[in-house]
Amino acid sequence: MITASAAFIIVLELGSVVVGGWFLSSYLLSVYSTRKTRLDRIFGPIERSIYYLGGVNPYEEMGWKAYLRAILALNVVEAAIGFVILLIQGSLPLNPMHAPDMSWSLSLNTALSFSSNTDLQHYNGGTALSYLSQMAVIQFLQFTSAATGLCVAIAIFRGLTGKTKGLGNFYVDYTRTIVRVLVPLSGVAALILIFLGVPQSLSGYSVFKTLELGGSEVVKSGPIASLVSIMQLGTNGGGYFGANAANPLTNPSQITNLFELALMMLIPTSLPFLFGRMLGRMKEGRTLIVASYALYIIDIFIAFIPITQIGEGMEVRFGAASSVFWTVTTTAFTTGSVNASLSAFNPLIILAALFGMIIQATPGGIGVGAMYMLMYIIMTVFIVGLMAGRTPEYLGTKINAGDVKLAIVAFLSHPVIILVPTVITFAIGAQAAVGLGTNSISFTQILYEYTSAAANNGSDFLGSAGNTVYFNVSTGIVMWLGRFIPIAVMLAIAGSMVQRKRYASEALRTDTLTFTAVLVVAIFILAVLTFFPFLAIGPILSYLEGFKNGF
Amino acid sequence: MKKSNSLTVPLRIAVISLVVCGLLFPGVVTGIAQLAMPVQANGSLISFHNTTIGSSLIAQDFNYSGFFQPRNDSASGLDPDITVQNATVQAARIHNVTGIPMAYLEGIIKENTKYTLFFFGSTYVNVLDLNLILAQHFPLIYNRYIV
Amino acid sequence: MDSEAHFAVTKFKTSKPKLYKLAILKDSVRRLSPTVLYKNVVMFIVEICFVIVAVMAIDPSLIPEVSSSTDVSFYIEVAVILLLTVWFSTLSDSIAEAQIKNTASTLRKIEKEVPARKIVSQDRREIAEVTSKQLKKGDLLLIKKGEIVPIDCEVLEGIAMVDESLLTGESVNVRKSVGTTVLGGSLITSDSIIARVSVNPSETFLNRLIKLVESSSRPKTPNERAVSILLAGFTAIFSIIIISILALGVILKLGLDLSVLIALYVSLLPTTIGALLPAIGISGINRMSEKRIIIKSGKAIEAAGDTDSLLLDKTGTITRGTRTATEFIPLGKHTMRDVGEAAFMSSWDDDTPEGKSMVELAYQEGFVPHEFAVIERVKFEEFSASTRKSGANLQEPSDFFLPKGGKGLLQHKRIRRKYDPDSKEDEIDIIKGAPDAIKLATKTVPLNYDNIVDEAAKTGDTIMAIAEGGEIIGLIRLRDEVKPGIKSRIAAIKNMGIKPVMITGDIEATASSISREVGIDDYVSRAKPETKYDLVKKEQARGRIVAMIGDGTNDAPALAASDVGIAMASGTEPAKEAANMVDLESNPAKIIDVVMMGKQILMTRGAVTTFSIANDVAKYFVIVPVMFTAVALSSLSKLNLLHLTPHVAVLSALIFNALIIPFLIPLALRGAEFKPQSAMRIFLKNVFVYGLGGVILPFAGIAAIAFVIVHFGVI
């Protein structure tokens, strides 16, 4: 049940984010076009020096293969840097609390996790990481993975709009994303968070005698605000502490709670508008934003079906409604930061969370959410578009057998990389190592683990209990496959479309609300078709068996 | 047109990113925060009788049954707040232990009540806030138990 | 000779094949063989499933983990339904193939062996009687009135009227002159010609076309290929799902029965579209063939459906191509009757369509001179392009008849002569033709003649002047008449979002008037032969898909450049080679049908695909709740919306899944209903019918089948 007051806050939040996203999209348009702006005077020299130091030729135009190669090369190198730092953090500087070296499998998992924008954490950040790791691994990869996601979206937008020769230059897009978008925005966001009470220091944890005689507490301060800002803005979700955004130091109040929610929603919300602007047809962007928000709102409604009351696993200052809203949002935008323990929730809320991660476009993570929505549009246009009596077209290009094949591969990869490891886990009994059995609750948790990994979400039930070689390696592989297979496939589609002939008229108008409605139903059916049996023996069964919050 | 060297460019760009995003960015933000907002940047520490007694953001343990006590089950384990309902239940206990009138206890609970959705939603109180008021106003009862 | 001729004019008609005759049944059973079926992935998998369940039926204890049922009859029932599902699919293929073979054989009848007169000597005196099969390319033939043209040939000498009804089904005589092609199988109805054989018998145009139609190795159209890929994708997804459920079912001990799982698998597979996809494509080509349109490339069918711009020749497509008199305009003191009677008399011997139409109009208006029967028509001067006029010289009979009430010109003359016997006007000269030509040839020109003529021509009509006895008495308005029904078809085209463009060699005024009359916004007047090509290119450069129809050699480049080029069978060889479709009826207006049929094929494919996928929702809700029979999982039965027992649920879903195929075979064969509407409206309607209907219908259908099973104990 959704109360009027909760509905009001949710509508207010969504409304402000949509308005903010609309304004941001106008700025993003200038970032990713070659036209000159006043900001060039500030950013231009920084970018040019990065190109110079990096050995980048900014005038090189890339096809989809070159773009993809550059993405993969950079991400491999960055993940490798993160892996090495974690592996030897004990003997590196900026380690005032003497965090020990991480095991190889946990280092691998963490490096793959943060470089793929997943931020699945099989460790407790408050104790397992040094300051250097928090900054030079966690925060560094949160920036780069967010930048990668945004670049992918831009390249795909360019391909589909077909106004350029190639997909752009990845290194230029990446540099401009970091210099003009992510660093300034998360800088401002970090300062606002600090103002609202989130700590930011490098002076180590301090121990204080508390009010009651004999009591003491550790205030685990650190570079928290700078991390939280990019973690939300880049839809990363990997928290500074194990408790993530439930920890009062990362999310001290109701206001920071709503602000952090807005941060994670901002860029994914602005991208459909950016797409419309790049096309010069805002209505095409409207289709994306309306469809993704419609799915998101359906998701919210599912999560609010059961009555949730404040209880174990939830923070009192947020209340039940905000906790449920956050849990839906963090999965709908595949961020994965949590402000309450997932075990606190009714199975239907977990079902709603799974929906977000199954669809991945509700509106989904930074860059990739829009990418998945375009994948669904291509599939839907093809399936239903024939019924308009014409070869299906999207944005004036005919959808051919090659596009269908690639879109199917992208769509198919998701269930494969979720179901195969889930089955293997139970087949070899690996769930027992994390204290799980074979009932619907256990099944839900394992299904959730791999769904979250595949969707690059990062929220999970296992937490640091998942720190076993099996789960570290298997989720690590799933995270990278879940990240880069769809990216590669969608870049291929964009690359083949960029130079394809554009036809003037379209039979099936994709910029209409009619099509948007069909799209929403189609996405829902496609997701239901794929995952229904597994949801049935997982959260749905738990719900029907009467579990209120039995996880 | 010269092509970006596909071998060294990723390495160089990665190192530049590491420096910019992983070191410069948090460093600069920390610098600004420490200069402009030192209180918040260092964890919103609070004092009692000129002694720093920790952060106002996180829960403190209270064992004496005359104090309001925080929840020990929550998502973060550091939840500084309790629901008004919980506080009212505890008020009865405090009244029994300390003899502080129920009306007073209910009064400070009401004065310190906050809402989860600004002016709506469920109601809660901060445990430390209440205990500080108690310690301040009833030194005879609490002085033995505090720093 | 007569008997052949009689045979030849037997009306050409496609007889519907008897859909369930033995040969078709045999063929459909033959297609069940895995060696044939493997090409259809979805159906091949269903057949494999049949084998697995059949094995379970033989020995249920073979795989004890997943065969919970002790009831062998259940496995037998599932196996039978699975086999039926596959058979329904092969049956639809067989029917479609039988249809197209039938059409092809009917087309082939056109090419019967017929006698031919081959000219063997240089001086063309010596003639050998041979048959059409003995002819070679280059042979000279003499074909006389009443004979059948033995093979495609080019007219070298003579003009003849030719009846092509055997080829086209329409009994219209076409005039063939030197240089034109006459098709084998057509009938010479007047005169005789000498013609040169243009092909060898085995490679006649028709022969090659028919081979295309019935070729079993028909390549898939681009769209059909894309749908196949989509189906393969869905098959892959469901395979992964089913294998995962199987594994989890065994590991987590969910009480799974393999046959139930297979039933779910087969229900989820896009069997409906998988079964009907080949038939939809074949029957589409068949429908085109039945309309005498032969598709040379599969791509063209889809391009036809995608057409944005339709280039239409004014003459022949929009108008009849002949000018028809519509109005007599008197000048000076003359009346309409004067003009009408003069036109009637001067045109009586005029065989041109214009002349005939004047007679017709005058007759309709009652402007027939009373004593016309006795007037002696002395001479008739045919229309000549150089003088741009024709004329008639009439003479009255010597014996005098009393007037009987005629009021026209003749009457006046007669009366005048009666009282003025010295008059030398015993002859009446009537000339008619282009207004300026007539002006030059006459003595008396009415006031303001030029202005009146210009005014009259403003509507785009052709104006003729008529003069009698050296005096211009009036004008005749002639109009190239718009074909009946063309206006509504143009409107239909525009409704579908297609832009018609009219091309004509006429002057601007004529072009604009005709295009306005039929509702075309874009036209090109004073077009030269190369204009068409330029126009095709121009439209394509604007990102449009262009369809056109053409017949002359001049049209070949444009036909080749256009996305959909339809050549007339009566057209020249280069045009037919360049086009990607050929219309045997040579009816230019049929391009509109081609577009509609193209759309219909695409639409049918999309509709069945959507329906097939939408069906899965219901099947999930019927089977999944009863699939995991382990006690702990009984909670899922709350999702069992139809409250069916596991066996009934599975069998009902499977039977529905199988029966929907034959239920939709007629749809696949005749195509989804198509009304020319805007694409979005068509889309919306189909989304409701096949999308929403596809979600709801199976619930109802499965419930109904379950009702029958439970209450009548059918199984």
Side-chain angles (χ1 to χ4, degrees):
Chain A
M1 261 302 294
I2 192 159
T3 62
S5 51
F8 176 73
I9 293 291
I10 291 172
V11 168
L12 201 70
E13 176 85 0
L14 264 54
S16 3
V17 168
V18 169
V19 171
W22 190 82
F23 280 110
L24 179 62
S25 68
S26 158
Y27 173 66
L28 291 179
L29 185 68
S30 73
V31 171
Y32 298 108
S33 63
T34 46
R35 76 160 189 252
K36 299 222 179 305
T37 68
R38 268 178 290 171
L39 293 171
D40 290 343
R41 281 184 39 204
I42 307 164
F43 295 126
I46 303 174
E47 286 158 5
R48 279 193 294 279
S49 44
I50 292 177
Y51 301 148
Y52 176 75
L53 292 172
V56 173
N57 171 11
Y59 302 105
E60 182 192 342
E61 179 82 5
M62 294 179 177
W64 74 269
K65 282 182 187 158
Y67 206 97
L68 177 64
R69 258 200 308 273
I71 286 178
L72 290 177
L74 185 64
N75 276 274
V76 166
V77 172
E78 286 168 345
I81 291 175
F83 173 73
V84 171
I85 292 177
L86 292 171
L87 208 57
I88 57 169
Q89 65 172 1
S91 36
L92 292 175
L94 274 171
N95 189 6
M97 288 78 57
H98 307 289
D101 293 346
M102 262 193 184
S103 72
W104 71 268
S105 73
L106 188 55
S107 300
L108 179 75
N109 184 274
T110 307
L112 294 176
S113 169
F114 281 84
S115 58
S116 62
N117 204 253
T118 312
D119 297 22
L120 187 73
Q121 291 167 294
H122 284 169
Y123 63 89
N124 186 331
T127 50
L129 292 180
S130 70
Y131 278 178
L132 183 74
S133 297
Q134 291 281 21
M135 301 193 312
V137 179
I138 303 303
Q139 197 169 310
F140 157 60
L141 291 178
Q142 288 186 337
F143 267 107
T144 62
S145 66
T148 301
L150 207 43
C151 292
V152 166
I154 300 305
I156 290 169
F157 288 177
R158 288 198 189 111
L160 295 192
T161 48
K163 292 179 178 172
T164 48
K165 250 187 175 167
L167 299 184
N169 180 319
F170 170 66
Y171 291 114
V172 171
D173 291 339
Y174 173 87
T175 305
R176 288 170 79 96
T177 302
I178 286 189
V179 172
R180 294 188 188 227
V181 184
L182 296 181
V183 165
L185 282 183
S186 55
V188 171
L191 294 179
I192 292 173
L193 284 172
I194 295 165
F195 177 75
L196 295 172
V198 180
Q200 176 75 19
S201 71
L202 289 169
S203 48
Y205 296 173
S206 22
V207 184
F208 296 99
K209 287 203 162 85
T210 53
L211 180 64
E212 193 175 47
L213 199 60
S216 67
E217 74 176 17
V218 185
V219 177
K220 294 177 177 174
S221 182
I224 300 174
S226 61
L227 188 147
V228 169
S229 63
I230 184 63
M231 134 184 151
Q232 307 293 23
L233 187 74
T235 70
N236 290 287
Y240 193 94
F241 300 106
N244 209 311
N247 189 308
L249 291 176
T250 61
N251 193 2
S253 65
Q254 180 70 24
I255 296 173
T256 54
N257 194 57
L258 289 177
F259 180 69
E260 288 182 24
L261 275 174
L263 274 184
M264 73 169 90
M265 293 158 79
L266 183 65
I267 296 181
T269 301
S270 75
L271 290 181
F273 294 120
L274 175 63
F275 183 56
R277 287 181 197 278
M278 284 173 73
L279 260 178
R281 288 158 67 185
M282 286 307 280
K283 277 191 170 178
E284 294 288 355
R286 183 184 71 178
T287 299
L288 271 72
I289 192 79
V290 172
S292 53
Y293 265 74
L295 289 162
Y296 173 39
I297 289 167
I298 292 172
D299 227 14
I300 292 176
F301 272 106
I302 295 174
F304 274 96
I305 291 174
I307 295 164
T308 306
Q309 277 168 337
I310 194 79
E312 215 175 307
M314 278 178 240
E315 296 285 294
V316 168
R317 65 187 175 287
F318 304 139
S322 285
S323 302
V324 174
F325 178 46
W326 179 295
T327 303
V328 174
T329 306
T330 196
T331 44
F333 289 76
T334 65
T335 304
S337 56
V338 290
N339 77 347
S341 166
L342 291 179
S343 334
F345 292 121
N346 184 290
L348 275 192
I349 297 172
I350 301 304
L351 181 70
L354 282 166
F355 262 133
M357 297 189 289
I358 286 167
I359 296 172
Q360 305 188 80
T362 62
I366 184 167
V368 292
M371 172 185 89
Y372 285 114
M373 186 51 88
L374 290 170
M375 173 194 84
Y376 286 120
I377 289 179
I378 289 172
M379 285 181 70
T380 305
V381 163
F382 184 76
I383 294 170
V384 301
L386 279 173
M387 287 196 296
R390 268 176 78 114
T391 302
E393 295 147 321
Y394 183 51
L395 307 175
T397 59
K398 298 221 175 286
I399 297 188
N400 62 32
D403 304 329
V404 174
K405 194 194 283 173
L406 289 170
I408 286 273
V409 168
F411 178 76
L412 185 65
S413 68
H414 200 51
V416 170
I417 60 175
I418 293 170
L419 296 176
V420 168
T422 302
V423 168
I424 292 175
T425 301
F426 285 103
I428 64 170
Q431 85 280 5
V434 291
L436 294 175
T438 54
N439 61 358
S440 69
I441 301 284
S442 301
F443 177 73
T444 303
Q445 296 193 22
I446 296 298
L447 181 71
Y448 194 103
E449 181 78 10
Y450 289 108
T451 307
S452 175
N456 300 132
N457 176 275
S459 62
D460 75 339
F461 286 92
L462 304 189
S464 44
N467 182 15
T468 67
V469 173
Y470 171 75
F471 281 109
N472 284 343
V473 173
S474 63
T475 54
I477 295 170
V478 169
M479 287 185 284
W480 261 53
L481 294 178
R483 174 76 165 171
F484 292 107
I485 291 175
I487 285 180
V489 168
M490 290 303 292
L491 281 176
I493 292 181
S496 83
M497 276 190 179
V498 69
Q499 292 272 31
R500 202 179 294 170
K501 193 172 172 169
R502 303 277 152 169
Y503 294 92
S505 67
E506 286 153 15
L508 177 60
R509 297 271 305 276
T510 48
D511 61 354
T512 56
L513 289 175
T514 308
F515 174 76
T516 311
V518 172
L519 174 66
V520 168
V521 174
I523 293 175
F524 216 80
I525 287 183
L526 287 174
V528 167
L529 282 185
T530 314
F531 285 95
F532 180 70
F534 307 99
L535 299 175
I537 58 173
I540 294 176
L541 180 59
S542 301
Y543 178 73
L544 294 173
E545 282 175 338
F547 287 94
K548 294 269 180 317
N549 45 9
F551 291 95
Chain B
M1 199 185 290
K2 184 175 80 82
K3 282 208 165 184
S4 309
N5 187 322
S6 60
L7 283 177
T8 62
V9 171
L11 195 65
R12 286 153 78 169
I13 291 288
V15 171
I16 295 167
S17 308
L18 176 68
V19 172
V20 172
C21 309
L23 300 175
L24 278 179
F25 176 76
V28 170
V29 172
T30 307
I32 297 172
Q34 290 294 337
L35 283 174
M37 299 172 277
V39 176
Q40 293 100 317
N42 290 313
S44 306
L45 302 176
I46 52 165
S47 317
F48 184 71
H49 296 320
N50 298 322
T51 319
T52 305
I53 54 157
S55 167
S56 65
L57 300 176
I58 56 176
Q60 301 198 346
D61 283 338
F62 289 97
N63 293 315
Y64 173 50
S65 51
F67 279 125
F68 285 97
Q69 288 166 352
R71 318 156 65 210
N72 43 19
D73 50 350
S74 72
S76 65
L78 297 170
D79 194 346
D81 307 303
I82 52 174
T83 60
V84 166
Q85 195 192 0
N86 182 338
T88 313
V89 171
Q90 291 198 40
R93 186 195 68 224
I94 293 167
H95 167 72
N96 286 339
V97 174
T98 62
I100 298 171
M102 265 312 274
Y104 179 84
L105 292 170
E106 281 167 1
I108 60 167
I109 290 172
K110 204 175 171 189
E111 271 171 36
N112 286 281
T113 295
K114 297 174 192 169
Y115 295 88
T116 55
L117 300 171
F118 299 107
F119 305 105
F120 316 106
S122 50
T123 50
Y124 67 94
V125 285
N126 184 294
V127 175
L128 189 57
D129 284 353
L130 295 182
N131 286 341
L132 280 172
I133 291 168
L134 291 178
Q136 203 134 28
H137 287 81
F138 301 95
L140 288 178
I141 303 172
Y142 288 99
N143 266 358
R144 303 190 276 148
Y145 299 100
I146 59 174
V147 285
Chain C
M1 201 61 210
D2 266 345
S3 65
E4 257 99 5
H6 175 73
F7 176 71
V9 290
T10 311
K11 208 67 185 158
F12 176 66
K13 218 175 172 185
T14 317
S15 57
K16 290 265 176 237
K18 286 196 185 96
L19 291 189
Y20 301 100
K21 36 179 212 202
L22 199 62
I24 293 178
L25 290 183
K26 268 188 185 163
D27 183 60
S28 66
V29 172
R30 184 188 60 82
R31 284 165 188 267
L32 287 176
S33 156
T35 52
V36 183
L37 198 67
Y38 77 94
K39 286 177 192 159
N40 187 334
V41 181
V42 176
M43 283 303 142
F44 187 59
I45 289 178
V46 178
E47 191 163 61
I48 292 173
C49 290
F50 156 74
V51 173
I52 295 173
V53 179
V55 169
M56 289 177 77
I58 294 164
D59 183 3
S61 62
L62 211 59
I63 332 167
E65 290 87 357
V66 286
S67 40
S68 58
S69 176
T70 48
D71 184 5
V72 175
S73 66
F74 173 70
Y75 295 132
I76 295 174
E77 285 155 10
V78 172
V80 168
I81 301 168
L82 292 181
L83 189 61
L84 273 179
T85 312
V86 184
W87 179 64
F88 286 146
S89 158
T90 60
L91 183 66
S92 77
D93 289 359
S94 300
I95 295 172
E97 286 287 355
Q99 272 195 348
I100 203 145
K101 287 246 157 63
N102 196 53
T103 308
S105 74
T106 336
L107 291 174
R108 209 174 279 280
K109 278 188 193 141
I110 297 166
E111 285 219 318
K112 277 276 171 200
E113 196 171 349
V114 286
R117 257 184 263 269
K118 183 174 155 191
I119 299 170
V120 283
S121 66
Q122 279 294 327
D123 61 1
R124 298 181 179 175
R125 292 254 169 91
E126 230 175 287
I127 284 170
E129 304 263 338
V130 293
T131 67
S132 54
K133 288 212 170 143
Q134 293 165 294
L135 296 171
K136 291 197 307 286
K137 194 172 172 179
D139 285 350
L140 293 187
L141 300 176
L142 171 66
I143 313 167
K144 293 181 173 172
K145 179 178 176 179
E147 290 179 0
I148 294 176
V149 177
I151 195 163
D152 297 0
C153 45
E154 186 195 339
V155 180
L156 290 184
E157 276 175 35
I159 298 175
M161 296 306 278
V162 177
D163 179 0
E164 289 183 336
S165 65
L166 196 67
L167 294 162
T168 65
E170 249 181 76
S171 182
V172 177
N173 280 320
V174 187
R175 188 189 170 104
K176 295 277 181 179
S177 54
V178 175
T180 57
T181 300
V182 281
L183 294 177
S186 44
L187 181 72
I188 306 287
T189 53
S190 79
D191 306 291
S192 51
I193 51 170
I194 290 176
R196 187 198 286 129
V197 176
S198 50
V199 284
N200 289 320
S202 62
E203 45 188 61
T204 58
F205 192 63
L206 197 66
N207 209 323
R208 276 185 293 150
L209 291 182
I210 294 167
K211 273 186 193 147
L212 273 178
V213 170
E214 61 181 358
S215 140
S216 56
S217 61
R218 226 173 281 111
K220 280 183 180 166
T221 64
N223 223 283
E224 199 173 1
R225 212 163 46 236
V227 173
S228 308
I229 287 171
L230 183 81
L231 298 188
F234 272 104
T235 306
I237 291 170
F238 291 125
S239 305
I240 290 155
I241 291 172
I242 293 299
I243 291 168
S244 301
I245 297 177
L246 178 64
L248 289 171
V250 173
I251 297 164
L252 304 179
K253 300 192 173 56
L254 300 172
L256 205 60
D257 188 290
L258 185 60
S259 69
V260 175
L261 189 64
I262 283 177
L264 176 67
Y265 184 36
V266 171
S267 304
L268 293 181
L269 285 177
T271 44
T272 317
I273 179 67
L276 298 177
L277 188 63
I280 292 170
I282 297 168
S283 64
I285 295 173
N286 185 51
R287 283 200 300 282
M288 292 265 197
S289 309
E290 277 181 353
K291 288 226 166 195
R292 308 282 177 271
I293 289 169
I294 308 290
I295 313 295
K296 286 170 68 187
S297 88
K299 215 174 157 182
I301 305 179
E302 282 166 12
D306 294 346
T307 301
D308 297 306
S309 296
L310 201 51
L311 305 195
L312 301 169
D313 271 326
K314 188 204 85 177
T315 309
T317 310
I318 293 167
T319 64
R320 287 179 189 279
T322 52
R323 283 180 291 234
T324 315
T326 57
E327 191 189 357
F328 299 122
I329 307 166
L331 291 176
K333 61 185 193 330
H334 302 282
T335 64
M336 199 183 275
R337 173 171 290 275
D338 297 343
V339 181
E341 286 186 354
F344 183 91
M345 285 188 294
S346 66
S347 303
W348 185 254
D349 292 303
D350 187 348
D351 255 352
T352 63
E354 289 87 352
K356 282 181 182 163
S357 78
M358 286 184 210
V359 172
E360 175 111 12
L361 181 68
Y363 184 80
Q364 275 174 7
E365 301 280 323
F367 299 155
V368 183
H370 181 68
E371 56 290 277
F372 178 68
V374 295
I375 292 176
E376 203 177 315
R377 297 177 295 283
V378 177
K379 97 180 179 228
F380 174 71
E381 185 193 331
E382 270 194 59
F383 178 82
S384 119
S386 55
T387 60
R388 292 190 295 145
K389 63 183 172 65
S390 65
N393 187 288
L394 314 171
Q395 200 161 41
E396 293 216 37
S398 45
D399 38 348
F400 193 78
F401 284 85
L402 270 173
K404 269 187 181 172
K407 289 175 190 130
L409 184 72
L410 284 177
Q411 204 80 345
H412 291 292
K413 277 191 204 315
R414 213 170 292 125
I415 291 163
R416 200 160 64 220
R417 223 160 41 150
K418 195 174 172 185
Y419 298 102
D420 182 14
D422 298 331
S423 166
K424 284 176 186 163
E425 275 186 284
D426 56 344
E427 282 185 3
I428 309 165
D429 268 317
I430 305 174
I431 54 168
K432 60 180 197 287
D436 49 340
I438 298 297
K439 187 179 169 186
L440 290 176
T442 50
K443 298 171 289 193
T444 323
V445 178
L447 279 172
N448 275 335
Y449 175 74
D450 289 339
N451 287 347
I452 295 167
V453 169
D454 284 351
E455 191 64 31
K458 263 194 183 153
T459 53
D461 298 332
T462 306
I463 302 295
M464 269 192 189
I466 185 160
E468 191 190 295
E471 182 190 1
I472 297 179
I473 60 165
L475 303 174
I476 303 164
R477 182 187 294 281
L478 293 136
R479 180 167 296 168
D480 186 356
E481 234 181 315
V482 166
K483 283 190 169 181
I486 195 77
K487 208 173 157 180
S488 61
R489 303 184 97 183
I490 298 281
I493 288 174
K494 286 166 75 180
N495 259 339
M496 290 188 284
I498 298 168
K499 184 179 93 170
V501 182
M502 186 183 86
I503 303 176
T504 175
D506 290 347
I507 56 161
E508 167 69 22
T510 313
S512 108
S513 150
I514 295 273
S515 62
R516 208 172 326 113
E517 185 177 346
V518 296
I520 293 179
D521 304 316
D522 292 272
Y523 59 86
V524 178
S525 58
R526 293 197 182 281
K528 295 189 202 83
E530 62 270 22
T531 313
K532 266 193 193 172
Y533 177 81
D534 295 340
L535 195 61
V536 169
K537 282 291 175 193
K538 201 175 90 190
E539 289 289 307
Q540 282 176 337
R542 283 191 200 150
R544 299 174 142 267
I545 291 177
V546 183
M548 68 163 284
I549 201 153
D551 50 6
T553 309
N554 285 337
D555 289 338
L559 280 172
S562 61
D563 301 278
V564 185
I566 307 175
M568 306 280 169
S570 58
T572 57
E573 206 63 21
K576 283 187 280 189
E577 289 299 334
N580 42 27
M581 292 187 192
V582 176
D583 177 14
L584 296 182
E585 280 180 12
S586 302
N587 172 4
K590 226 161 40 179
I591 188 165
I592 298 163
D593 297 312
V594 170
V595 169
M596 291 198 189
M597 277 189 279
K599 285 193 177 297
Q600 198 185 30
I601 293 168
L602 292 174
M603 220 172 75
T604 310
R605 211 176 275 145
V608 180
T609 306
T610 306
F611 183 79
S612 197
I613 294 169
N615 271 202
D616 284 359
V617 177
K619 293 171 190 164
Y620 255 139
F621 275 94
V622 169
I623 298 183
V624 169
V626 298
M627 191 164 67
F628 307 104
T629 54
V631 185
L633 296 165
S634 60
S635 296
L636 275 183
S637 62
K638 286 173 193 160
L639 289 182
N640 189 350
L641 301 179
L642 298 178
H643 304 291
L644 304 177
T645 66
H647 283 191
V648 173
V650 167
L651 291 177
S652 312
L654 267 187
I655 291 173
F656 176 84
N657 192 54
L659 285 184
I660 201 72
I661 297 172
F663 181 74
L664 291 179
I665 287 180
L667 174 82
L669 295 186
R670 59 146 218 268
E673 193 199 340
F674 182 84
K675 277 190 206 141
Q677 284 171 324
S678 81
M680 268 322 257
R681 289 188 67 151
I682 294 173
F683 169 72
L684 206 60
K685 198 192 104 199
N686 285 329
V687 162
F688 269 96
V689 174
Y690 298 100
L692 197 64
V695 174
I696 295 166
L697 181 73
F699 277 109
I702 292 171
I705 293 168
F707 181 83
V708 171
I709 293 176
V710 173
H711 290 265
F712 300 95
V714 176
I715 291 179

